[in-house]
Structure formats: C-alpha cells, structure tokens
Amino acid sequence: MPYHAYHLNLVQEMLEGAQLALIPGDPERCSAIAALFGDYRELAFHREFRSILAESGKEKALVVSSGIGGPSLAVAMEELARLGIRCFLRVGTCGAIAPDLNPADLVISEGAVRLDGTSQHFAPLPYPACADTELTHLIVRACRELGFPYRKGITCSSATFYPGQERYDTFTGYVIRDFQGSLEEWKKLGVLNYEMETATLFTVARTFGLRAGALCAVLVNRLASEEPDHISLREAENRVNRTAVYTAGLALRELAL
Ligand code: URA
C-alpha cells in the first residue's frame, strides 16, 4: 500500500519527485508563491494544509501552508518527509524587535530561541535549533541579488502570538511574570524578531537529518507599533515570496535536490 499522508491528503506520486518544500503559514499565500515559478497546480487542500506543485522548466517544488505555530507545522513536516521532501524553506512573516529593522525588511534566521513548545517533543531543550548553513547562504545570496534589505541572526519562536511575544493589547491585558520584560531582554541579547514556527522547523529538520532554512518579512517593528500598515504588508509579502522562490531556484540547482 503506498503511504497516504492523512493530514496533507497526498500520496508520493503526486509530488512528481519534488524534494523541496516552500512553507508559508497562510494557505492564501500558496498560490502567489507558486505563480512565481511559472506553472502550478493545486494538489490538495485539507484543513490548514494547502499543497501546490510549482514548476519552472524541469524544476519542481511543493508549496505547502503550515497553518500557525509549531504543532501544525510538525504534522506537515512529518508527512512531507515521508513523501520525499528533503529540504524545507519557511516563507514567513514576523514582528521585529531589533531597532534597525523596518516593515518589509527581511530576516534570515540562523538559529531560533525554542519558546515554541513543539520542538521539545522532538529533542530536549538543550538541543540547538539551527538552520542548514548551505541553504542559509543561498537565502543571503538571493536577498543580495534581488537587492532587498535583510539581516541574519537569531529569531525567537513563541508558542503564542500574544503573551509569549509580550503583547498587552489582549482581553485581560495581563502577561504572566515569566514573560514580563522578555521582549526587552531578547532585544538586549541581540534577538532580531518574533514569530511562531522557526524553532520547530529547525529542530524537526535537524533531528530528521534534513535541511531547513527560514526567511521572514517584517510586518511591524514592535518597538514602534503593533499595527501593520497595508502598503508595507503588501511589500513584505512581495519581497519574501520573490526571495524564497529565487532561493528555491538556487537550491534546486546547487544542493542537488
Ligand atoms: N508573526 C508573529 O508571530 N508575530 C508578529 O509580530 C508578526 C507575525
């Protein structure tokens, strides 16, 4: 019996040998990413997981949405690895906490603070969440060649959007003591941004012996604002999508995928 990935609703032959997956959180973003390859075809859309096969000439990649956060991303990675995916590239968005990052700038994660929770189901907390070095070099090259402003460094991946990222614009307005002052502390430790998936991505990929890289566009700088503006939001998505697809092309040619 061929393996059927239950949550993704895919079987291996549908991937036509694709070994690289681009992974946004939002299913709505999959077709915009896939369209940048040229040809594309939706394979499945089950729960938060929308899967599109994208092609440019002989090059193929899968674009799969992970939903929000580590738990659903880990489900997708588990199933994608069994379907033959060997390289994962996150195409995400984030809130910056480094003072020099502006909306629509790009952040390349070299490593991630493991506040995601999910990664502890794959490796104990002292295990580092780090990116694949070769893939990360290709993301840097893509940013440079496309001329988009970027920084690379450490990302904080939180299990929650609100308390874990020390947001007070909430129902109770309360953040538990563990997280009070945490934004300032991560900033002092040189952490660049908050998001919710990269620590899971890196930990799961490493423990599987597979490659992973993460690229996020800044939606807001938390030191300045909590509300993204619509023009920066569009530009952030445009830049992160184009850079990810450019990186995918480099990876397909240079990492023998
Ligand atoms: N995603 C997050 O997790 N945090 C932000 O601030 C923006 C996007």
Side-chain angles (χ1 to χ4, degrees):
M1 266 297 257
Y3 167 63
H4 171 246
Y6 170 72
H7 297 89
L8 300 180
N9 195 20
L10 295 173
V11 294
Q12 189 162 20
E13 68 177 18
M14 294 166 86
L15 273 63
E16 298 181 15
Q19 294 188 31
L20 168 69
L22 287 89
I23 311 196
D26 181 357
E28 291 280 323
R29 289 191 32 234
C30 288
S31 48
I33 296 168
L36 294 172
F37 280 84
D39 292 331
Y40 68 97
R41 186 160 44 89
E42 183 167 304
L43 302 180
F45 193 170
H46 185 225
R47 296 174 175 247
E48 60 269 66
F49 306 116
R50 182 179 204 171
S51 302
I52 298 182
L53 186 64
E55 294 178 57
S56 171
K58 284 198 199 123
E59 294 174 350
K60 287 183 204 298
L62 198 65
V63 184
V64 186
S65 54
S66 65
I68 294 180
S72 59
L73 173 62
V75 168
M77 290 181 75
E78 189 75 54
E79 296 187 0
L80 288 169
R82 292 188 69 186
L83 291 165
I85 295 298
R86 296 293 170 261
C87 182
F88 300 88
L89 176 57
R90 168 159 157 70
V91 192
T93 55
C94 66
I97 58 172
D100 60 343
L101 279 166
N102 297 307
D105 286 354
L106 298 175
V107 176
I108 301 165
S109 307
E110 295 174 301
V113 178
R114 292 178 58 194
L115 285 186
D116 61 311
T118 305
S119 65
Q120 290 180 66
H121 290 216
F122 292 84
L125 212 41
Y127 186 93
C130 44
D132 178 78
T133 312
E134 287 164 306
L135 181 59
T136 303
H137 285 150
L138 297 180
I139 307 174
V140 171
R141 198 170 126 196
C143 288
R144 288 210 181 121
E145 290 180 8
L146 292 172
F148 295 143
Y150 73 94
R151 280 197 65 188
K152 63 182 164 63
I154 307 291
T155 290
C156 181
S157 298
S158 165
T160 53
F161 184 83
Y162 290 102
Q165 300 183 28
E166 207 187 349
R167 284 192 159 91
Y168 293 93
D169 53 337
T170 57
F171 185 61
T172 63
Y174 182 69
V175 169
I176 61 167
R177 270 180 298 178
D178 277 2
F179 294 128
Q180 288 176 24
S182 58
L183 188 153
E184 182 60 22
E185 183 159 1
W186 294 127
K187 176 165 84 78
K188 286 209 169 93
L189 294 173
V191 170
L192 301 178
N193 60 333
Y194 277 121
E195 50 78 86
M196 297 177 66
E197 291 82 13
T198 296
T200 305
L201 179 87
F202 288 171
T203 307
V204 174
R206 283 280 167 159
T207 59
F208 286 4
L210 304 179
R211 294 184 193 271
L215 174 69
C216 284
V218 173
L219 297 186
V220 285
N221 187 312
R222 296 284 309 286
L223 310 178
S225 152
E226 291 292 357
E227 290 282 327
D229 75 81
H230 289 285
I231 295 167
S232 308
L233 209 115
R234 262 207 311 277
E235 183 54 17
E237 289 194 356
N238 169 48
R239 287 184 189 175
V240 75
N241 293 353
R242 284 182 55 202
T243 310
V245 171
Y246 194 98
T247 304
L250 297 172
L252 288 166
R253 289 188 289 278
E254 301 199 6
L255 302 180
L257 294 166

